[in-house]
Amino acid sequence: MFCFIAVVLLAIIPSTLGLAALLELTKRGSTPSVSKIQNGLGPKLCAGGSIYFPSSPEFADLTERWSTATEGDILVVVVAVCEKDVATAVKFANFVNLPFLATNRGHGTTLTLNKIKHGVLIKLQNFNSIDIAEDSKSALLGGGVYVDQVLEKLAEKNKVASLIADNILELDVITADGSKIKVSKSSNPDLYWGMRGAGHNFGIVTKFRHRIFDYPRGQDTYYVTYIFSEDKLEILFTRLNKLLNNGQLPRDATSYVLYTFNPDINPKPVIIFQFTYFGIADEAQPYLKPFIDLSPLSASNGTTPFPKLHRILGTSVTDALCAAGKTMVTIPVGLESYNVETNRKVYKLFTEMVTQAPDLRGSFIQFEGYPLQGMKAVDPFTTAYAHRDDNILVSYTMAYPPSAANDAVAAKYGRRGRQLFIDGEAPRLHNAYPNYAYGDETLQQLYGYEPWRLQRLRKLKRKWDPKGRFNFYNPIV
């Protein structure tokens, strides 16, 4: 339930920058000066495009990420207003041998982001166009859009988006050498396969066409939030297994569970269960009765248009969960079903953590369950996404004030929690959702255990990014 971000990039060489100046910029061991970057890059930007350096008052805000643990080392920020700006920045970075990273709202938490040193950060928030096709079957989305924007715009036409990777029809992609290409079933089909599941390894998307759908029965969505004490843990997860039904959660429903600590509610960590349903309350009651019967500590419910649901559940970009400025670390595990004994062990570990490490009391463990019928109907050979047999997405999420000591404590507990989940799934292998990755996972855990899958991905990497320019987000190396 984290915020959606798509990133974009494209580039051309600044033709009026003299050869002597370029050679001077690329002397071995040298870093381009502020004036040389400004003079070499600035004149080539579109009107309104801008460059910021660490001395700029805006620099701190522009480089701030959701997690302070993944801000990397940024030398200069380019705020692009047109594709040409992004193009110029990338080829300039390539020519002067500086790494680059494109970003929108900066919600990725993988520790591999810290590998960027003296980097060019290209901000893409101006690429936020949303154009619905005349036939209302697709929308052309800018690479800088995020979920709140998309939901609200599509709702004006009574439309909604679904799984991103499985519904991409076409992409405009900027490759590692700065070339702009079209990617679809008929244009660069090999890359079309790779972009849907591992695209951050191959290029940056400036815009993409995405299939959209009618709301199944209108936009009204019924939601409930139940808070349980830990003594209900075993029976709660037993009933959740029945509800999720091995990936067959009702198509109109979603299930979201949290372990979290809130002393205003209970002196021990509590279990929050949220359930949403496209439809009216009466239709949702048969699914909810087994949980109402458990006598939650508190219960709330209501009905809202779907685009407003994120705000009510506290997951919109304006909510505290999505606010920047703190350290956030996520460690994911994909599950087939809930192992009730494991969930008790993880609860005990979480309780130990928030008791012995007060700085980590803002942390939580989230369990996401979605209707997966559509995702599982897709042939797994047709995209690079490998984890279609996962039914539940778990993330051990640490939130705390930045410090090296807290980093060490968070890593210890997060890894222990992850191992408990892995052991509880044995002999099933560990799958890690790439968008939530911690940064220490193996390629197999991120991109699949089938030998052919990694062979194909490595072949694409050699073809489209032979110099490893896109190696800062869970790279295929």
Side-chain angles (χ1 to χ4, degrees):
M1 297 197 48
F2 291 135
C3 304
F4 160 68
I5 307 160
V7 288
V8 295
L9 201 52
L10 128 84
I12 59 173
I13 291 178
S15 58
T16 61
L17 188 60
L19 178 60
L22 286 171
L23 290 174
E24 184 179 358
L25 288 175
T26 54
K27 287 179 181 177
R28 184 178 298 275
S30 66
T31 297
S33 67
V34 168
S35 62
K36 288 174 180 176
I37 295 174
Q38 184 71 59
N39 294 333
L41 187 56
K44 297 301 176 182
L45 299 181
C46 295
S50 49
I51 301 174
Y52 298 89
F53 298 93
S55 59
S56 306
E58 301 89 347
F59 188 85
D61 286 341
L62 290 169
T63 56
E64 186 178 51
R65 296 184 61 86
W66 185 47
S67 173
T68 60
T70 56
E71 290 180 347
D73 177 10
I74 302 302
L75 178 69
V76 59
V77 178
V78 178
V79 177
V81 296
C82 66
E83 287 187 336
K84 179 177 175 290
D85 289 349
V86 189
T88 302
V90 173
K91 281 194 173 177
F92 181 85
N94 282 341
F95 206 97
V96 300
N97 198 31
L98 290 176
F100 59 84
L101 179 70
T103 186
N104 182 19
R105 298 190 64 86
H107 278 80
T109 61
T110 177
L111 297 180
T112 62
L113 287 164
N114 285 322
K115 293 182 179 180
I116 190 167
K117 304 297 180 185
H118 298 315
V120 178
L121 183 67
I122 303 154
K123 296 292 289 184
L124 306 167
Q125 64 262 36
N126 292 315
F127 293 78
N128 57 6
S129 59
I130 303 170
D131 298 310
I132 299 174
E134 290 187 7
D135 63 6
S136 296
K137 294 182 179 180
S138 67
L140 187 62
L141 307 178
V145 297
Y146 56 91
V147 65
D148 298 40
Q149 295 171 324
V150 175
L151 290 177
E152 290 177 8
K153 182 66 175 179
L154 294 185
E156 294 175 5
K157 300 291 186 180
N158 200 41
K159 293 289 180 175
V160 68
S162 186
L163 292 172
I164 301 298
D166 287 346
N167 289 289
I168 290 175
L169 301 173
E170 183 182 74
L171 310 97
D172 284 358
V173 175
I174 309 309
T175 61
D177 65 359
S179 301
K180 177 181 176 180
I181 61 173
K182 290 282 186 183
V183 178
S184 68
K185 281 185 178 181
S186 59
S187 179
N188 296 299
D190 59 340
L191 195 55
Y192 181 63
W193 177 86
M195 290 297 294
R196 294 173 300 144
H200 42 273
N201 282 280
F202 309 119
I204 305 165
V205 178
T206 55
K207 56 187 174 184
F208 61 103
R209 184 164 296 281
H210 188 269
R211 190 182 291 112
I212 59 177
F213 304 89
D214 293 324
Y215 275 90
R217 290 181 296 167
Q219 298 181 27
D220 281 352
T221 307
Y222 180 70
Y223 63 90
V224 302
T225 299
Y226 300 148
I227 299 177
F228 295 97
S229 54
E230 57 88 18
D231 60 299
K232 304 293 176 60
L233 187 151
E234 281 78 8
I235 190 169
L236 173 64
F237 281 102
T238 298
R239 294 184 180 186
L240 280 168
N241 270 336
K242 186 174 181 180
L243 174 68
L244 296 177
N245 191 24
N246 195 33
Q248 298 298 310
L249 183 70
R251 289 178 179 270
D252 294 327
T254 63
S255 165
Y256 186 61
V257 181
L258 284 173
Y259 290 171
T260 187
F261 179 68
N262 187 338
D264 294 335
I265 299 174
N266 197 286
K268 292 183 178 181
V270 294
I271 307 169
I272 299 176
F273 170 50
Q274 293 179 325
F275 180 88
T276 68
Y277 185 80
F278 272 128
I280 62 175
D282 287 347
E283 295 173 346
Q285 293 312 305
Y287 305 115
L288 294 171
K289 188 178 185 305
F291 304 98
I292 297 171
D293 290 347
L294 295 180
S295 300
L297 296 173
S298 70
S300 59
N301 61 73
T303 300
T304 185
F306 183 70
K308 309 295 184 184
L309 185 63
H310 288 279
R311 296 190 182 98
I312 291 172
L313 299 184
T315 59
S316 76
V317 295
T318 60
D319 287 306
L321 176 63
C322 291
K326 54 188 175 293
T327 296
M328 301 290 295
V329 176
T330 61
I331 302 184
V333 180
L335 303 181
E336 189 173 48
S337 62
Y338 289 122
N339 182 319
V340 176
E341 182 179 349
T342 294
N343 283 17
R344 170 58 71 180
K345 292 178 181 178
V346 172
Y347 176 87
K348 289 181 178 178
L349 179 68
F350 183 77
T351 302
E352 175 187 316
M353 182 184 78
V354 299
T355 301
Q356 297 189 7
D359 277 356
L360 272 67
R361 287 181 175 176
S363 304
F364 53 91
I365 302 175
Q366 60 179 3
F367 307 82
E368 301 175 49
Y370 302 103
L372 301 176
Q373 293 88 339
M375 185 269 284
K376 290 181 180 292
V378 174
D379 185 342
F381 289 90
T382 60
T383 75
Y385 183 69
H387 305 321
R388 294 183 184 273
D389 58 343
D390 289 346
N391 297 326
I392 302 162
L393 176 57
V394 177
S395 177
Y396 203 120
T397 304
M398 275 70 65
Y400 52 89
S403 79
N406 285 341
D407 289 340
V409 174
K412 178 184 73 172
Y413 280 104
R415 287 172 171 153
R416 285 174 61 189
R418 176 175 62 186
Q419 193 59 50
L420 287 173
F421 283 119
I422 293 171
D423 292 345
E425 285 275 286
R428 192 170 183 266
L429 297 174
H430 171 213
N431 293 333
Y433 181 47
N435 283 2
Y436 290 2
Y438 179 51
D440 66 346
E441 294 88 353
T442 68
L443 290 181
Q444 289 81 0
Q445 290 164 352
L446 291 170
Y447 299 113
Y449 292 88
E450 307 97 320
W452 67 267
R453 191 177 289 277
L454 284 180
Q455 289 169 7
R456 187 171 180 180
L457 287 169
R458 289 189 173 110
K459 182 178 179 180
L460 284 173
K461 188 71 169 175
R462 289 192 297 270
K463 177 178 179 180
W464 294 103
D465 187 22
K467 296 181 180 180
R469 300 298 278 162
F470 296 111
N471 273 10
F472 300 112
Y473 197 92
N474 303 323
I476 299 166
V477 293

